[in-house]
Amino acid sequence: MGGAERSTGLVGLGEGGGLNRRTLLLGASLAFASLTGKAHARPNSGQTGQDYARLKLVIERICRAQGLPPDALKLELIDTDALRADVSLTGKVRMTTGFVATCETDAQVAAWFCQCLVALRTKTDGVALDRAALATLLAAGYDPRQALILWTRWTVSKKLRNSSRFRDVPITPHRLEILRVQIEKLGYLI
Protein backbone atom coordinates (compact mmCIF):
# COMPACT_ATOMS: atom_id res chain seq x y z
CA MET A 1 0.00 0.00 0.00
CA GLY A 2 2.85 2.39 0.80
CA GLY A 3 4.12 1.80 -2.73
CA ALA A 4 0.72 2.73 -4.19
CA GLU A 5 0.61 6.05 -2.32
CA ARG A 6 4.19 6.89 -3.32
CA SER A 7 3.41 6.17 -7.00
CA THR A 8 0.32 8.35 -6.92
CA GLY A 9 2.23 11.21 -5.31
CA LEU A 10 4.98 11.00 -7.92
CA VAL A 11 2.55 10.98 -10.83
CA GLY A 12 0.91 14.19 -9.62
CA LEU A 13 -2.07 13.82 -11.92
CA GLY A 14 -5.08 15.94 -11.18
CA GLU A 15 -8.75 15.09 -11.49
CA GLY A 16 -8.91 11.30 -11.29
CA GLY A 17 -5.77 10.08 -13.02
CA GLY A 18 -4.09 9.54 -9.65
CA LEU A 19 -7.18 7.94 -8.21
CA ASN A 20 -7.45 5.47 -11.07
CA ARG A 21 -3.80 4.48 -10.72
CA ARG A 22 -4.16 4.15 -6.93
CA THR A 23 -7.28 2.01 -7.38
CA LEU A 24 -5.49 -0.19 -9.91
CA LEU A 25 -2.47 -0.68 -7.62
CA LEU A 26 -4.67 -1.34 -4.61
CA GLY A 27 -6.64 -3.92 -6.56
CA ALA A 28 -3.43 -5.55 -7.79
CA SER A 29 -1.94 -5.71 -4.30
CA LEU A 30 -5.16 -7.22 -2.87
CA ALA A 31 -5.24 -9.79 -5.65
CA PHE A 32 -1.58 -10.64 -4.99
CA ALA A 33 -2.23 -10.94 -1.24
CA SER A 34 -5.14 -13.24 -1.98
CA LEU A 35 -3.00 -15.48 -4.20
CA THR A 36 -0.19 -15.51 -1.67
CA GLY A 37 -2.62 -16.52 1.07
CA LYS A 38 -3.74 -19.50 -0.97
CA ALA A 39 -0.19 -20.50 -1.76
CA HIS A 40 0.69 -20.42 1.93
CA ALA A 41 -2.47 -22.02 3.26
CA ARG A 42 -0.08 -24.68 4.50
CA PRO A 43 3.11 -23.53 6.16
CA ASN A 44 5.13 -23.86 2.95
CA SER A 45 3.85 -23.68 -0.60
CA GLY A 46 6.31 -26.23 -1.99
CA GLN A 47 5.15 -29.15 0.10
CA THR A 48 2.57 -31.64 -1.03
CA GLY A 49 -0.69 -31.69 0.88
CA GLN A 50 -0.37 -35.44 1.28
CA ASP A 51 3.03 -35.21 3.03
CA TYR A 52 1.80 -32.48 5.34
CA ALA A 53 -1.38 -34.38 6.25
CA ARG A 54 0.55 -37.60 6.87
CA LEU A 55 3.07 -35.92 9.19
CA LYS A 56 0.34 -33.97 10.97
CA LEU A 57 -1.28 -37.32 11.83
CA VAL A 58 2.03 -38.55 13.26
CA ILE A 59 2.24 -35.49 15.51
CA GLU A 60 -1.41 -35.72 16.56
CA ARG A 61 -1.04 -39.40 17.50
CA ILE A 62 1.94 -38.61 19.69
CA CYS A 63 0.21 -35.59 21.23
CA ARG A 64 -2.73 -37.79 22.21
CA ALA A 65 -0.31 -40.33 23.73
CA GLN A 66 1.25 -37.49 25.76
CA GLY A 67 -2.13 -36.07 26.79
CA LEU A 68 -1.57 -32.86 24.82
CA PRO A 69 -4.39 -31.13 22.94
CA PRO A 70 -4.14 -31.86 19.20
CA ASP A 71 -3.47 -28.23 18.35
CA ALA A 72 -0.72 -27.86 20.98
CA LEU A 73 1.96 -28.17 18.31
CA LYS A 74 2.17 -26.57 14.89
CA LEU A 75 3.87 -28.39 12.04
CA GLU A 76 5.93 -26.65 9.40
CA LEU A 77 7.15 -28.89 6.59
CA ILE A 78 9.77 -27.23 4.40
CA ASP A 79 10.29 -28.54 0.89
CA THR A 80 14.05 -28.95 0.57
CA ASP A 81 16.58 -31.78 0.37
CA ALA A 82 18.43 -30.34 3.37
CA LEU A 83 18.31 -32.41 6.55
CA ARG A 84 16.87 -30.20 9.29
CA ALA A 85 14.37 -30.86 12.06
CA ASP A 86 13.51 -29.09 15.26
CA VAL A 87 10.90 -28.93 18.01
CA SER A 88 10.77 -25.64 19.91
CA LEU A 89 9.52 -24.88 23.40
CA THR A 90 6.83 -22.71 21.84
CA GLY A 91 5.31 -25.74 20.14
CA LYS A 92 6.59 -25.39 16.60
CA VAL A 93 7.69 -28.58 14.87
CA ARG A 94 9.82 -27.90 11.78
CA MET A 95 11.00 -30.61 9.42
CA THR A 96 12.41 -30.60 5.93
CA THR A 97 11.20 -33.07 3.34
CA GLY A 98 14.84 -34.20 3.10
CA PHE A 99 14.85 -35.13 6.80
CA VAL A 100 11.53 -36.97 6.46
CA ALA A 101 12.81 -38.92 3.44
CA THR A 102 15.99 -39.86 5.32
CA CYS A 103 13.90 -41.14 8.22
CA GLU A 104 12.26 -43.48 5.65
CA THR A 105 9.04 -44.24 7.57
CA ASP A 106 6.42 -42.40 9.60
CA ALA A 107 7.37 -44.56 12.60
CA GLN A 108 10.97 -43.33 12.38
CA VAL A 109 9.81 -39.70 12.22
CA ALA A 110 7.62 -40.53 15.22
CA ALA A 111 10.62 -42.01 17.09
CA TRP A 112 12.61 -38.82 16.54
CA PHE A 113 9.64 -36.67 17.54
CA CYS A 114 8.96 -38.71 20.72
CA GLN A 115 12.60 -38.35 21.77
CA CYS A 116 12.46 -34.57 21.26
CA LEU A 117 9.05 -34.03 22.83
CA VAL A 118 9.72 -36.12 25.92
CA ALA A 119 13.07 -34.37 26.42
CA LEU A 120 11.39 -30.95 26.21
CA ARG A 121 8.52 -31.85 28.49
CA THR A 122 10.29 -33.86 31.18
CA LYS A 123 13.89 -32.59 31.13
CA THR A 124 15.13 -36.20 31.42
CA ASP A 125 18.14 -37.47 29.54
CA GLY A 126 20.14 -40.59 28.80
CA VAL A 127 18.62 -44.03 29.29
CA ALA A 128 15.63 -42.61 31.21
CA LEU A 129 14.78 -40.42 28.23
CA ASP A 130 15.12 -43.37 25.84
CA ARG A 131 12.76 -45.44 28.00
CA ALA A 132 10.17 -42.64 28.23
CA ALA A 133 10.36 -41.92 24.48
CA LEU A 134 9.93 -45.63 23.72
CA ALA A 135 6.85 -45.75 25.99
CA THR A 136 5.41 -42.72 24.17
CA LEU A 137 6.10 -44.31 20.78
CA LEU A 138 4.34 -47.49 21.88
CA ALA A 139 1.39 -45.56 23.35
CA ALA A 140 0.98 -43.83 19.98
CA GLY A 141 0.80 -47.26 18.30
CA TYR A 142 4.12 -47.34 16.42
CA ASP A 143 6.48 -50.28 16.00
CA PRO A 144 9.37 -49.68 18.45
CA ARG A 145 11.82 -51.52 16.19
CA GLN A 146 11.67 -48.53 13.87
CA ALA A 147 13.25 -46.42 16.63
CA LEU A 148 16.14 -48.84 16.86
CA ILE A 149 16.59 -48.75 13.06
CA LEU A 150 16.58 -44.92 13.09
CA TRP A 151 19.04 -44.53 15.96
CA THR A 152 21.37 -47.19 14.54
CA ARG A 153 21.45 -45.34 11.22
CA TRP A 154 21.88 -42.05 13.13
CA THR A 155 25.15 -43.36 14.64
CA VAL A 156 26.79 -43.75 11.22
CA SER A 157 25.31 -40.72 9.45
CA LYS A 158 26.99 -37.41 10.20
CA LYS A 159 24.24 -35.64 8.22
CA LEU A 160 21.58 -37.10 10.52
CA ARG A 161 23.55 -36.25 13.65
CA ASN A 162 23.80 -32.64 12.45
CA SER A 163 20.17 -32.45 11.31
CA SER A 164 18.69 -31.43 14.64
CA ARG A 165 19.58 -29.13 17.50
CA PHE A 166 18.34 -31.94 19.72
CA ARG A 167 21.42 -33.93 20.73
CA ASP A 168 20.39 -36.45 23.40
CA VAL A 169 19.68 -39.44 21.19
CA PRO A 170 20.59 -43.07 21.89
CA ILE A 171 23.56 -43.42 19.55
CA THR A 172 26.21 -44.81 21.88
CA PRO A 173 26.64 -48.59 21.71
CA HIS A 174 25.63 -48.84 25.39
CA ARG A 175 22.34 -46.95 24.96
CA LEU A 176 21.52 -48.73 21.70
CA GLU A 177 22.01 -52.11 23.40
CA ILE A 178 19.76 -51.10 26.32
CA LEU A 179 17.11 -49.93 23.84
CA ARG A 180 17.37 -53.21 21.88
CA VAL A 181 16.97 -55.26 25.08
CA GLN A 182 13.92 -53.20 26.13
CA ILE A 183 12.28 -53.75 22.74
CA GLU A 184 12.97 -57.50 22.87
CA LYS A 185 11.47 -57.66 26.38
CA LEU A 186 8.30 -56.21 24.90
CA GLY A 187 8.11 -59.30 22.68
CA TYR A 188 9.42 -57.87 19.42
CA LEU A 189 11.89 -59.95 17.42
CA ILE A 190 14.92 -58.02 16.27
Side-chain angles (χ1 to χ4, degrees):
M1 285 275 259
E5 289 171 4
R6 196 174 330 112
S7 296
T8 304
L10 288 173
V11 171
L13 296 175
E15 300 282 344
L19 179 61
N20 289 339
R21 184 178 177 126
R22 189 177 0 196
T23 305
L24 177 65
L25 288 172
L26 176 62
S29 59
L30 287 174
F32 179 76
S34 161
L35 288 173
T36 307
K38 286 182 184 172
H40 293 88
R42 292 196 181 86
N44 185 28
S45 60
Q47 73 197 35
T48 66
Q50 204 171 28
D51 289 341
Y52 180 80
R54 183 173 56 87
L55 291 168
K56 189 141 176 60
L57 286 175
V58 168
I59 288 172
E60 287 172 354
R61 281 175 70 175
I62 294 165
C63 281
R64 280 194 301 275
Q66 283 282 294
L68 296 170
D71 59 346
L73 299 168
K74 303 292 182 209
L75 170 65
E76 182 177 357
L77 180 63
I78 302 158
D79 190 17
T80 175
D81 289 337
L83 269 63
R84 297 300 306 157
D86 188 38
V87 180
S88 73
L89 287 170
T90 61
K92 181 174 256 187
V93 182
R94 302 174 81 183
M95 287 182 267
T96 63
T97 52
F99 177 79
V100 174
T102 302
C103 285
E104 295 180 351
T105 66
D106 288 358
Q108 289 177 23
V109 172
W112 167 83
F113 181 59
C114 286
Q115 198 84 8
C116 293
L117 188 61
V118 171
L120 284 173
R121 292 193 73 218
T122 63
K123 304 295 185 213
T124 60
D125 59 4
V127 174
L129 170 61
D130 302 342
R131 190 174 296 118
L134 184 64
T136 302
L137 189 67
L138 284 166
Y142 289 102
D143 184 342
R145 294 174 291 192
Q146 292 294 314
L148 190 59
I149 292 168
L150 175 68
W151 299 130
T152 301
R153 202 167 58 248
W154 204 284
T155 62
V156 295
S157 170
K158 186 176 181 180
K159 284 184 178 179
L160 270 173
R161 283 196 305 274
N162 293 333
S163 66
S164 177
R165 285 188 294 172
F166 177 70
R167 298 286 179 238
D168 193 11
V169 295
I171 59 172
T172 63
H174 175 70
R175 282 175 68 184
L176 279 172
E177 180 59 22
I178 290 172
L179 185 62
R180 187 189 62 73
V181 168
Q182 289 174 341
I183 293 169
E184 284 181 342
K185 283 182 181 178
L186 292 169
Y188 290 89
L189 295 175
I190 296 177

